[in-house]
Amino acid sequence: MNKLKIWFLKSWSTVLLFSIFIVLLVSPDTKAWLMRQIISTGLLNSKIEKKKTELGIIESLSIRDDNGKLTNTSELKGKVVFINFWASWCPPCRAEFPSIQKFYEKYKENKDLVFLTINLDDNVAVGKEYLNKEQFSVPFLVPDGYVPNVFFNGSLPTTVVLDKSGNIRMHHAGMADYSKNSFYDEINLLLSE
C-alpha cells in the first residue's frame, strides 16, 4: 500500500490527465463543451463568399417537418437560406448548436431568412429529445429522400448558406460559431442583395 501511495504522489498529474481523457472519451456533453471553447475563438469559422459562384443548376433538397409538411429549396428563391445538417450523437454538432440557436433567435422574425436545421439521426425521436432537453427552438426537419452531395457529403456538422438566387455562398463542413457579429454582418449583406 505504501508503494501505491508513493507512486500516486509522484504520478498525480498523469492520473489527473488520464481521468480527464476518460471523461472526454465517454461523455458527449463534455466533448461538446470542450469543442464549444475551441469554436468560440472563431478560428474554425467559414466565411460567406462575396463573389457569387455559378454552379449551374443546383439540385434541390426536399425536407419535411414534424407535421409532414414538405419544403423544397427550389421554392425558397428570393430568401437567404441557412441549412445545417446535424445529429444528436455528434459532439461537434452539440458544440455549435448553442450558436445556431442564438442566430435563430436573432433572425427568426426576418421573413427573408429561412432556417433549415436538418436532423440526420437514425431515430428521429432521439433528435427531438435532444432539442427538447436542451430547450432549443430551431426548426426540427428531416430529409425527404435523397440529399444531393452539393449540400451534404457525409461530414457532420455541415452548414450551407444559399443567397436569394439559390446560389451556394457558403459550404462549411465542421463546427463553427454562428453567433458572432462578423457572421451576422455577412448575413445582413446577403439579405440586402
Side-chain angles (χ1 to χ4, degrees):
M1 186 69 171
N2 212 11
K3 286 183 179 182
L4 181 62
K5 190 175 184 180
I6 292 169
W7 177 85
F8 185 77
L9 289 174
K10 287 182 178 179
S11 306
W12 67 269
S13 61
T14 303
V15 171
L16 179 64
L17 287 174
F18 183 73
S19 300
I20 291 170
F21 175 74
I22 293 299
V23 169
L24 285 173
L25 193 62
V26 298
S27 172
D29 289 331
T30 305
K31 285 182 213 173
W33 177 85
L34 179 62
M35 291 176 178
R36 200 169 298 122
Q37 304 318 303
I38 294 168
I39 64 173
S40 70
T41 65
L43 295 174
L44 302 175
N45 290 356
S46 182
K47 295 253 186 241
I48 293 176
E49 296 291 326
K50 294 190 185 338
K51 184 179 94 176
K52 294 181 184 178
T53 54
E54 294 298 327
L55 297 174
I57 298 172
I58 295 178
E59 295 179 66
S60 61
L61 170 66
S62 185
I63 39 111
R64 62 183 156 77
D65 66 11
D66 287 345
N67 301 320
K69 180 183 173 211
L70 293 175
T71 302
N72 196 300
T73 54
S74 64
E75 301 165 351
L76 300 175
K77 296 240 170 131
K79 298 183 183 297
V80 173
V81 183
F82 177 86
I83 305 169
N84 180 264
F85 295 93
W86 67 280
S88 64
W89 51 263
C90 164
C93 301
R94 287 176 176 230
E96 76 174 4
F97 231 89
S99 74
I100 292 172
Q101 178 65 34
K102 285 180 188 173
F103 175 41
Y104 175 71
E105 287 171 4
K106 184 171 177 73
Y107 285 90
K108 68 182 176 185
E109 300 299 324
N110 190 316
K111 302 295 182 210
D112 291 328
L113 181 60
V114 176
F115 288 85
L116 303 179
T117 45
I118 303 170
N119 179 260
L120 297 178
D121 279 299
D122 290 334
N123 181 349
V124 172
V126 174
K128 284 184 193 176
E129 182 181 314
Y130 170 72
L131 288 184
N132 290 334
K133 177 183 154 231
E134 298 298 325
Q135 299 179 345
F136 292 137
S137 60
V138 298
F140 184 85
L141 304 164
V142 294
D144 188 59
Y146 171 72
V147 177
N149 286 339
V150 70
F151 291 111
F152 178 72
N153 59 10
S155 182
L156 285 174
T158 292
T159 303
V160 178
V161 175
L162 305 177
D163 66 14
K164 291 180 177 181
S165 299
N167 295 311
I168 293 177
R169 296 288 288 275
M170 184 185 94
H171 191 285
H172 182 75
M175 61 186 180
D177 185 347
Y178 298 105
S179 64
K180 299 264 186 213
N181 285 332
S182 57
F183 184 70
Y184 297 158
D185 291 343
E186 292 175 346
I187 289 295
N188 290 336
L189 280 173
L190 279 182
L191 289 168
S192 69
E193 286 183 355

